[in-house]
């Protein structure tokens, strides 16, 4: 069994809108294929995961108009394919362990800005249904997304019904 110290601490965001659709971005660093994912990123030293998720969402998407609805307490981990793990993070980690947050987006689509940094994370974005997201993500993230959606979809539906 892998040592958890070999997993990079990370946060992931499931951001949904008033229609119940989820925000996904097309990765900018993938050239020969189209790979989509929800916002995610590393937790800085001494940073609380809840602060990290708000920071990462803004850095990657420009979005500020979100409200945290729920989170998954346990760490969810995934392994990177070995050829990617050797290239990422100086080969220190074999994958990531993630704290996932469910957030409601109450702003306008005009708020989205993928170009806040010289090297953007995403080249395009869209609102999508979870069942379509699962087939657009890389294989090594698919099980994580299935687990996240199984836990968050009822909460998305409940929140939408209250709006």
């Amino acid at each position: 069994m892998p040592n958890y110290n070999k997993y990079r601490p990370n946060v992931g965001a499931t951001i949904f809108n008033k229609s119940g659709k989820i925000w996904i971005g097309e990765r900018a660093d993938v050239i020969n294929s189209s790979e989509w994912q929800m916002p995610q990123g590393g937790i800085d030293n001494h940073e609380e995961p809840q602060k990290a998720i708000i920071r990462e969402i803004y850095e990657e998407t420009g979005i500020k108009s979100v409200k945290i609805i729920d989170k998954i307490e346990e760490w969810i981990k995934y392994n990177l394919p070995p050829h990617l793990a050797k290239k990422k993070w100086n080969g220190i980690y074999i994958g990531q362990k993630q704290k996932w947050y469910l957030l409601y987006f109450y702003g306008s689509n005009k708020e989205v800005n993928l170009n806040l940094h010289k090297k953007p994370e995403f080249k395009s974005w869209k609102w999508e249904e979870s069942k379509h997201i699962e087939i657009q993500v890389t294989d090594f993230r698919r099980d994580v997304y299935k687990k996240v959606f199984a836990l968050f979809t009822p909460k998305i539906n409940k929140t939408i019904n209250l709006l």
Side-chain angles (χ1 to χ4, degrees):
M1 183 169 188
N3 180 342
Y4 264 93
N5 293 330
K6 297 280 187 178
Y7 290 87
R8 177 176 176 251
N10 186 283
V11 287
T14 301
I15 305 168
F16 69 99
N17 64 13
K18 63 183 176 187
S19 300
K21 292 191 175 178
I22 297 167
W23 195 102
I24 57 169
E26 184 179 18
R27 292 188 58 92
D29 62 348
V30 178
I31 309 298
N32 296 325
S33 66
S34 178
E35 293 181 11
W36 295 78
Q37 72 178 53
M38 294 183 284
Q40 66 175 53
I43 301 171
D44 293 339
N45 286 337
H46 308 293
E47 184 178 34
E48 292 296 321
Q50 187 166 320
K51 293 213 183 277
I53 197 59
I54 299 301
R55 176 184 52 76
E56 283 291 338
I57 289 169
Y58 178 72
E59 288 176 2
E60 294 183 1
T61 70
I63 292 174
K64 289 185 176 181
S65 301
V66 290
K67 177 183 177 186
I68 294 175
I69 302 296
D70 202 3
K71 70 177 180 176
I72 299 172
E73 291 293 336
E74 70 181 272
W75 290 99
I76 300 174
K77 67 177 181 69
Y78 69 87
N79 291 348
L80 286 172
H83 72 282
L84 287 179
K86 289 177 186 175
K87 294 178 189 176
K88 290 267 197 189
W89 315 299
N90 298 318
I92 296 171
Y93 303 107
I94 61 172
Q96 299 197 87
K97 60 180 184 176
Q98 300 178 305
K99 291 280 186 181
W100 277 91
Y101 287 83
L102 177 65
L103 303 102
Y104 174 65
F105 174 68
Y106 57 86
S108 163
N109 286 343
K110 294 177 187 174
E111 188 173 329
V112 178
N113 180 356
L114 303 181
N115 297 306
L116 292 175
H117 297 283
K118 288 182 183 178
K119 197 172 182 183
E121 182 87 14
F122 302 113
K123 57 186 170 188
S124 64
W125 68 277
K126 62 184 174 181
W127 294 104
E128 187 67 89
E129 294 178 22
S130 61
K131 65 183 177 184
H132 298 299
I133 294 171
E134 287 181 22
I135 60 174
Q136 296 177 63
V137 300
T138 57
D139 290 341
F140 60 87
R141 286 191 180 99
R142 194 161 289 137
D143 286 342
V144 171
Y145 278 42
K146 285 179 181 180
K147 186 172 193 171
V148 168
F149 292 150
L151 293 168
F152 283 162
T153 297
K155 292 173 183 176
I156 291 172
N157 293 338
K158 182 178 179 181
T159 304
I160 295 303
N161 288 335
L162 295 174
L163 295 177

